[in-house]
Amino acid sequence: MTVTLDAAEVAALGPVAAVAAVRDALAGGLDPDGGVPRTVVPLAHGQGLLMPAEYGGWYGVKVATVAPGNPARGLRRINATYLLHDSATLMPVALLDGVALTALRTSAVSVAACLERLRALAARYGGLRLVVFGAGPQGEGHVAAVRAHVPVTDVTVVTRRGGPVPGWADRHAAAGDGEVAAAVRRAHVVVTATSAREPVLDGRLLSDETVVLAVGSHEPDVREVDGALMGRATVVVESRETALREAGDVVLAIREGALAPDSLVTLADLAGGRAAAPADRPLVVKTCGMGWQDLVVAVAAHRRKEGTPGEGR
């Protein structure tokens, strides 16, 4: 029987379990470079995305749409559904809310990539100061994921025009306000979760210990982070192949000569102990989103609902 997990049931897994699912999969030998690339379907009013993956006795696929005109209609820009199958029989076992799954897994991957750095900074300062570019679900989700693992003392959210302060932030600034640069200089963590096509901050402002979680773009000609930052940072990506194909923050920095392709560090490199992130350089975690991430978090959410712990089937 196919069970259904609505948005609340997916979110109930929580960021700690979602981060653990990502880290456990990587520690267990999952190779992101072995995944199937997403299929992007140009549509009359946006994009369709198909994101399949198979791992650990499970197969799943996310069907998503991106409609840039929807916010003006009062509708969600991104919609998605996830279908999880038993890998042996290929029978569908669960249908999950794909928007909630995307929000949960994206922040989980970001935090999984830099958890040791976040813990070290929190131990040093007693709590972290965050600056979040973008007031949408991903901005909120990243703050929740960081808070679930380390103390957070201050959150500044930045949008184009400013506005009311979200319940998960301490202040809301407009992008052009003078206080934004000062907040970025003080930040321990900067999250970029926007639909911007050009850098949203000056990378020269960040301290050498800052962590940047860049999640807003998955197109090779779009970026939120400038070459100045990418050139002085340790850059962590899900997969070199994916980053060089889809991550404009990476692609454009390489094109400018600010970043060398062979300097990219992958999640698998970190998990396998083949690379480390020096504490005296900014750390940029640039993710585009991959099918395996949806899969491992979907499996964890399904197991939670069914009351069946464990990784494999």
Side-chain angles (χ1 to χ4, degrees), residues 12-112:
L13 176 67
V16 172
V19 168
V22 171
R23 288 169 68 93
D24 288 347
L26 291 166
L30 184 148
D31 178 14
D33 276 321
V36 178
R38 86 176 85 220
T39 299
V40 179
V41 182
L43 302 173
H45 299 287
Q47 292 179 329
L49 305 175
L50 302 177
M51 299 177 65
E54 183 177 14
Y55 175 73
W58 302 89
Y59 164 72
V61 60
K62 183 167 72 179
V63 180
T65 56
V66 182
N70 272 7
R73 303 182 179 100
L75 301 172
R76 291 189 307 207
R77 178 173 175 268
I78 297 174
N79 289 277
T81 302
Y82 196 85
L83 185 57
L84 179 66
H85 303 73
D86 178 301
S87 191
T89 64
L90 297 183
M91 295 292 293
V93 295
L95 184 68
L96 295 86
D97 184 288
V99 174
L101 179 62
T102 301
L104 187 60
R105 66 84 156 137
T106 303
S107 56
V109 173
S110 294
V111 171

Side-chain angles (χ1 to χ4, degrees), residues 7-306:
E9 290 171 313
V10 173
L13 176 67
V16 172
V19 168
V22 171
R23 288 169 68 93
D24 288 347
L26 291 166
L30 184 148
D31 178 14
D33 276 321
V36 178
R38 86 176 85 220
T39 299
V40 179
V41 182
L43 302 173
H45 299 287
Q47 292 179 329
L49 305 175
L50 302 177
M51 299 177 65
E54 183 177 14
Y55 175 73
W58 302 89
Y59 164 72
V61 60
K62 183 167 72 179
V63 180
T65 56
V66 182
N70 272 7
R73 303 182 179 100
L75 301 172
R76 291 189 307 207
R77 178 173 175 268
I78 297 174
N79 289 277
T81 302
Y82 196 85
L83 185 57
L84 179 66
H85 303 73
D86 178 301
S87 191
T89 64
L90 297 183
M91 295 292 293
V93 295
L95 184 68
L96 295 86
D97 184 288
V99 174
L101 179 62
T102 301
L104 187 60
R105 66 84 156 137
T106 303
S107 56
V109 173
S110 294
V111 171
C114 64
L115 185 54
E116 287 75 18
R117 178 77 158 256
L118 296 179
R119 286 172 171 163
L121 287 170
R124 184 177 309 149
Y125 295 104
L128 304 185
R129 293 187 294 270
L130 276 60
V131 174
V132 182
F133 288 83
Q138 283 300 341
E140 181 178 5
H142 276 73
V143 172
V146 173
R147 274 193 169 126
H149 291 85
V150 295
V152 171
T153 58
D154 186 79
V155 178
T156 297
V157 61
V158 182
T159 59
R160 289 186 182 93
R161 298 178 183 85
V165 180
W168 47 271
D170 297 289
R171 65 193 58 79
H172 188 172
D177 291 352
E179 66 183 285
V180 173
V184 169
R185 287 190 179 95
R186 295 192 302 266
H188 300 116
V189 179
V190 174
V191 178
T192 62
T194 74
S195 58
R197 302 188 69 84
E198 299 291 339
V200 296
L201 76 161
D202 182 346
R204 297 170 297 182
L205 298 176
L206 280 75
S207 76
D208 288 339
E209 60 187 4
T210 305
V211 175
V212 177
L213 308 177
V215 301
S217 68
H218 62 267
E219 299 172 76
D221 58 346
V222 174
R223 64 177 172 184
E224 300 174 292
V225 177
D226 62 18
L229 175 59
M230 299 294 274
R232 57 186 280 249
T234 300
V235 180
V236 177
V237 297
E238 301 137 302
S239 144
R240 287 187 183 87
E241 182 178 331
T242 298
L244 295 173
R245 182 178 63 244
E246 300 180 6
D249 306 76
V250 170
V251 172
L252 296 175
I254 291 172
R255 191 176 299 167
E256 294 166 351
L259 181 67
D262 59 4
S263 71
L264 297 174
V265 176
T266 69
L267 294 177
D269 291 335
L270 292 176
R274 296 183 294 277
D280 60 351
R281 300 181 66 187
L283 175 62
V284 174
V285 180
K286 171 55 199 168
T287 60
C288 296
M290 298 182 69
W292 66 268
Q293 301 161 3
D294 294 304
L295 178 63
V296 299
V297 175
V299 169
H302 173 60
R303 285 192 171 281
R304 178 187 179 280
K305 178 165 181 174
E306 296 296 287

